[in-house]
Amino acid sequence: MCGLFIVVEGPDGAGKSTLARWLATRLLSDGRRVVTVREPGGTPVAEAARKVALRFPYAIAPAAELFLMLAARADLVDRVIRPALTAGRVVVADRFDLSTMAYQVAGGGLPRDAVEATDRAAPGEPAPHLPLVLDVPVATGRERQRHARRVRDRFERRDDAFHQRVLQAYREARGPGVVHIDASQSKQAVQDAAWREIIASTAHTSRGAP
């Protein structure tokens, strides 16, 4: 049995984590077996990489940052995501591979071809069935973060130019299953839009469509 792999992507302040939690709760209420994960994180190795990537008080070279993220992803895929999908579960991820293209490539300036080749070096990485890309202007995301009043991580502290490059990369994201959602709408509107896409994706998968 094959599971369903849903990923919530988007810039900081878009509401990814909130939506991912809501989707997992809704799917559970519908009787689906759900596994929730976040990137970076989800295993002891990945959580250690997360701590360095997000909280390390010193500068990190872009390439070093990339390899932290990819190491975390490889361990998460091997230990959690792939086994869950093989068991027929629904995996809801807060970030996945599009975040690498947005943050390390567009934001950090690393060469896309080299990063894609490096990411492919990890065997067996599954492609998401439904990447939901939330879109919110940088200023709106910043305001939401201020309102949340929590300590910002290394990425959230980067300047607006960095975050504008990240946002543009997300807006240009294309590929199988990619859906863009206007996250400047109300939370209810975003949830409704995401749920409609999940229903459509589930029906598509159930029919065995390619």
Side-chain angles (χ1 to χ4, degrees):
M1 180 183 295
C2 182
L4 179 65
F5 189 13
I6 302 165
V7 177
V8 184
E9 294 273 13
D12 290 295
K16 297 175 305 304
S17 300
T18 299
L19 179 61
R21 287 193 297 268
W22 182 86
L23 290 174
T25 300
R26 179 69 185 270
L27 287 160
L28 283 167
S29 71
D30 277 7
R32 302 298 296 268
R33 297 180 300 162
V34 180
V35 173
T36 59
V37 297
R38 66 176 182 177
E39 275 214 349
T43 69
V45 168
E47 289 294 334
R50 179 185 183 88
K51 184 176 181 180
V52 175
L54 273 60
R55 304 296 179 190
F56 195 61
Y58 304 104
I60 301 176
E65 179 182 279
L66 169 68
F67 282 107
L68 281 170
M69 297 299 188
L70 296 185
R73 179 175 304 146
D75 201 59
L76 179 65
V77 165
D78 186 65
R79 295 179 179 276
V80 181
I81 295 177
R82 191 166 53 239
L85 292 174
T86 301
R89 297 180 184 271
V90 178
V91 176
V92 180
D94 180 349
R95 297 196 183 282
F96 199 62
D97 54 350
L98 285 181
S99 285
T100 302
M101 296 301 115
Y103 283 83
Q104 279 71 56
V105 175
L110 292 175
R112 183 183 186 93
D113 289 348
V115 170
E116 288 179 337
T118 303
D119 193 22
R120 288 195 299 270
E125 182 176 303
H129 297 103
L130 181 60
L132 300 170
V133 182
L134 304 187
D135 185 309
V136 70
V138 172
T140 302
R142 292 287 207 195
E143 181 58 32
R144 290 177 178 179
Q145 289 173 325
R146 283 192 290 270
H147 184 71
R149 295 182 178 179
R150 64 179 181 79
V151 178
R152 296 185 299 167
D153 63 37
R154 287 181 59 255
F155 294 103
E156 292 167 342
R157 292 196 299 269
R158 300 290 295 269
D159 62 24
D160 285 355
F162 173 88
H163 285 285
Q164 191 60 49
R165 295 194 299 274
V166 167
L167 174 60
Q168 189 60 35
Y170 277 124
R171 287 178 170 173
E172 294 173 357
R174 299 291 184 272
V178 173
V179 174
H180 293 263
I181 297 175
D182 178 5
S184 63
Q185 306 176 88
S186 68
K187 182 165 68 174
Q188 183 66 57
V190 172
Q191 290 171 348
D192 289 346
W195 188 249
R196 285 194 298 271
E197 297 298 337
I198 287 177
I199 294 300
S201 181
T202 301
H204 187 76
T205 302
S206 297
R207 289 194 303 267

